[in-house]
């Protein structure tokens, strides 16, 4: 699907986010550093610094090319297909970030004490 306003592929402005945490990490009891949202289906996945890198895995398995940061105050997009950053992308269905009072990294009760040593750089 192509966003009519921006001409960018991989966008469904009507798809709400799947939740407030990474879908696969929540299912597996994992934890994440930052969250990314698929612009096409609303899948929430964890960033490439996170141990499991589920946002990139979602692109690999589905071909959905565009993600937006799901961090409060961030609205940039990353296009995996074009390997390009978009500062100004399409407007997606709200909410556009996880709750401001949700900790980063998260979730707090699943975070190992040595989490900083487990990040990808
Ligand atoms: Zn994850
Ligand atoms: Zn998707």
């Amino acid at each position: 699907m192509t966003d009519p306003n921006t001409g960018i592929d991989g966008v469904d402005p009507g798809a709400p986010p799947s939740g407030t945490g990474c879908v696969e990490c929540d299912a597996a009891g994992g934890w994440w550093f930052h969250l990314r949202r698929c612009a096409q289906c609303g899948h929430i996945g964890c960033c490439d610094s996170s141990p499991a890198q589920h946002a990139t895995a979602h692109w690999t398995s589905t071909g959905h090319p565009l993600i937006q940061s799901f961090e409060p105050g961030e609205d940039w997009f990353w296009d995996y297909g074009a390997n390009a950053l978009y500062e100004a992308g399409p407007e997606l269905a709200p909410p556009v970030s996880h709750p401001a009072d949700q900790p980063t990294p998260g979730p707090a009760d699943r975070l190992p004490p040595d989490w900083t040593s487990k990040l990808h750089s």
Side-chain angles (χ1 to χ4, degrees):
M1 186 179 293
T2 302
D3 181 64
N5 297 313
T6 60
I8 297 173
D9 285 332
V11 178
D12 181 353
S18 59
T20 57
C22 171
V23 173
E24 288 83 5
C25 284
D26 275 340
W31 60 276
W32 55 79
F33 187 42
H34 289 142
L35 294 172
R36 308 293 181 231
R37 169 193 186 163
C38 174
Q40 186 159 329
C41 73
H43 171 273
I44 301 297
C46 48
C47 72
D48 280 350
S49 297
S50 305
Q53 305 176 318
H54 285 125
T56 297
H58 180 73
W59 142 248
T60 307
S61 65
T62 63
H64 297 169
L66 197 65
I67 53 166
Q68 184 180 35
S69 177
F70 202 54
E71 295 301 313
E74 294 186 1
D75 57 5
W76 53 265
F77 288 78
W78 178 257
D79 185 330
Y80 287 104
N83 223 19
L85 184 76
Y86 292 101
E87 298 286 356
E91 204 145 311
L92 301 180
V96 295
S97 72
H98 66 73
D101 61 359
Q102 178 176 309
T104 300
D109 59 347
R110 296 205 298 259
L111 208 58
D114 60 342
W115 68 270
T116 50
S117 69
K118 298 188 186 313
L119 295 178
H120 295 273
S121 55

